[in-house]
Amino acid sequence: MDIANSTEVPIIYDLSLTGGADPYGHIKDVWGADALNNAIKMWIASYRGEAIRNPNSGGYITQWLMKPMNEANIPSITMSIKDGIEQDFSPSLTINAVTVTPNYVQRYWKIYLDVYSSDLKIRTQVSANIKNQV
Amino acid sequence: MLFDFTSVQQRIVQGLAAKSSWADILYYSTNQRLIDAIAQEISNLAQYDEYLTRETKWSQAQNTSSLLLQATLLNYKPNRKIGSVGTQQRFSTSQTFNASYSVIVDIPKYTVFSDGGDIKVSTTSSNSLLVGANYIDLDVIQGTPVTTNFVVQGLNYEEIDVIDSTIENSNYEVYVNNVLWTEISDIRLATSGTQQVFQVINKPDFSGIILKFGNNIFGQKLSSGDAVKFVYISTLGASGNILASGIITTVESTIYDINGHTVQGYCSNIGPIEGGQDAETAESIRTNGNQAFQTGDRATAEQDYVYLLKTQPIVFKTIVWGEYEKGLDDPSYTPGSYIAPSENMVYICAIDNTGSTISLASQTSIRAFLNTIKSPTDIPSFVDVEMIYMIFNITAYVSDRSYTLSQVKSNILTAVENQYGLAGMDFHVNVDYSDYTTYIDSIAGVDHHDTTATLFNKFSFQTGQYICSFTLSLFPFDANSVSIWVRSHSDTGLGLAGWVEVATDDGAGNLVSVSPYVVLNTSSINYSTGAGTLTLTDATSLPHYATSSPTDYDVKIIYTLTDRNFQLKQRWQYIQYSSEDLVVTTQYTT
């Protein structure tokens, strides 16, 4: 479906990123805002080149995980998130807020995103902790 | 229907979207990742299937292994590496090859000689250096003998793998419990269960061979514990060709006389050892396989004869013609008219890899081979080759100083050998002035050149008399261009230095003496027909005169053709350059 030219608001659907099954034994699935949330988390955790036949997508945040954690990286990661969301996502997302907070003790980055999709008419907030690798 | 990744992916999504429960998915989603992975695998599968399908097609297969596997169906057996061969590997117990030994010296099959390095040659038969003989010229093949032993299980159609990519194409032997067995093209063609035969199958990548034995119905079956010995020549193939003489000068094997005493031996190749080839390439298999299929193992058309004759190991080059071609050569021939002596005759001219007409024994063997596959009315008739030699005198000018003069000279020698050597030429192939001048001009490093080409034919004296009646192959030729040279067979190893000039022409068709030799005043040559007679009334100054007879000498008649283009007049004529007479001079342009 060509979402950009559609007059209807599409329903989006996905299988849960974390896997698992519901009480009936069905694979756990997610809909609407949860599905968008699911997709953004996948995008945050993605590495460049892992998408089949699309070597230039993803990896906007993980590229910083191999560098030492410091304050100077915060604006860089923030810029990467803004750039990546604009480059990679379809349908497009509007970023309402993005914060990147380091936890030096436990060595992870806390990433908070507030986004809105005008095509999907969905707003969602994503909060993800991602471990630094060095 | 397309099976590339994008098409498959789109079809999966479209298929799912057609279901009522379908909802859209985002690019970064678990579902999309699954669809992508499945589409990728289907696309890979389709690609692999296409690849395999292509490899099963004779005209499209890219891998040699695919063609090798299919070649059997076309009745074609591609060749492995072929070792270069020579017939003039001279051996002597004298360092100067001019003294004999007191007792007979045995030179067994597989005696090895070398250049002191990697290039080794082996004798292909057992010989003896007799008392009184100063030397013996041996038949050799490039490569070293290798023996491998196996103990077998005694299975039906037992197969033994021999992994070695250097196994020579046709020189090998199989012994079972020390009894020599015979090769057969297919084990199922064995006529009884007691026939001691084996089949050789090439491994699909030419990495070795498989020896296949019978099952007591088609050929004798091996018994458990039988000892199979496979003896073969490990060859370098094309890189083992030796074009110059005097290269193979080291005796590698220990030589004994008949009393069992070690003999100090000396050797030298006085002729080239050539004809080596690498395993067939995919394109060569593709071409030859088609020919084999078209021939169908039956000799009917002229091309069938040529192909089938070339399958015989002794035949290096061949030409075949019959009534039709004979008529074409005769300007007065009316197509379809009766040519009495040529009806049903199949004329064959075949040479071995030394350029000589194949021996009478080989002709007999080939005639027996043809009898099983030719038309009953065909009458094969062998014709001797008429070899014409070109003498190139090349002065090459080099303007690019990044080339050394020796480099350019080497380039020229190699290029001339490749193009105008025995292997590069063929029967009934003309050499035009514009062709060879253009070819030499295109050799790397050559800016421009001055090249002249003259011709010569070789003849012999009559038995018991120094008289040589001859007809030169090509004519007319220039007056005052003829010179006649003689060389003793004993001086073959001396190359050009072994020849002595005995006569020239006087411009009026008479042959005149070159001192100290004396030519009978009736000796003459006809510039228009090439016919002539040379009679030496005083040959006493010829080298080895006292110990030789007239037939121990070769006569070389050099002449300059009036036409700069060498157009052959007969189908059995073969023109090649003479490496011995080739003169190449290189110099930088000023």
Side-chain angles (χ1 to χ4, degrees), chain A residues 1 10-15 31 36 38-39 42-43 46 50-54 57-58 88 90-91, chain B residues 4-6 21-34 36-38 40 43-44 47:
Chain A
M1 174 183 281
I11 303 167
I12 58 167
Y13 158 83
D14 200 4
L15 298 174
W31 296 80
L36 181 60
N38 202 52
M42 275 190 75
W43 176 78
S46 68
E50 72 178 25
I52 293 172
R53 306 263 177 157
N54 202 350
S57 72
D88 272 12
S90 176
Chain B
D4 60 281
F5 169 78
T6 310
S21 59
W22 171 257
D24 283 339
I25 56 172
L26 298 176
Y27 177 71
Y28 275 95
S29 68
T30 315
N31 279 330
Q32 187 65 48
R33 291 296 169 91
L34 286 171
D36 285 356
I38 293 165
Q40 174 73 4
S43 156
N44 286 346
Q47 209 169 19

Side-chain angles (χ1 to χ4, degrees), chain B residues 77 80 147-150 152 155-163 167-169 172-176 181-184 187 197-203 208-214 222 227-232:
Chain B
K77 189 173 180 184
R80 296 184 299 280
T147 302
T148 51
N149 294 290
F150 305 91
V152 300
L155 305 174
N156 282 332
Y157 295 125
E158 181 142 3
E159 293 185 347
I160 298 172
D161 283 12
V162 187
I163 308 298
I167 299 173
E168 209 276 333
N169 195 50
Y172 48 80
E173 290 163 341
V174 168
Y175 296 87
V176 178
W181 283 32
T182 310
E183 185 180 0
I184 193 166
I187 201 72
V197 289
F198 65 95
Q199 179 186 353
V200 173
I201 303 166
N202 284 328
K203 286 211 160 271
I209 61 159
I210 299 166
L211 297 172
K212 187 174 182 180
F213 296 87
L222 295 177
V228 174
K229 182 168 73 173
F230 180 54
V231 186
Y232 63 94

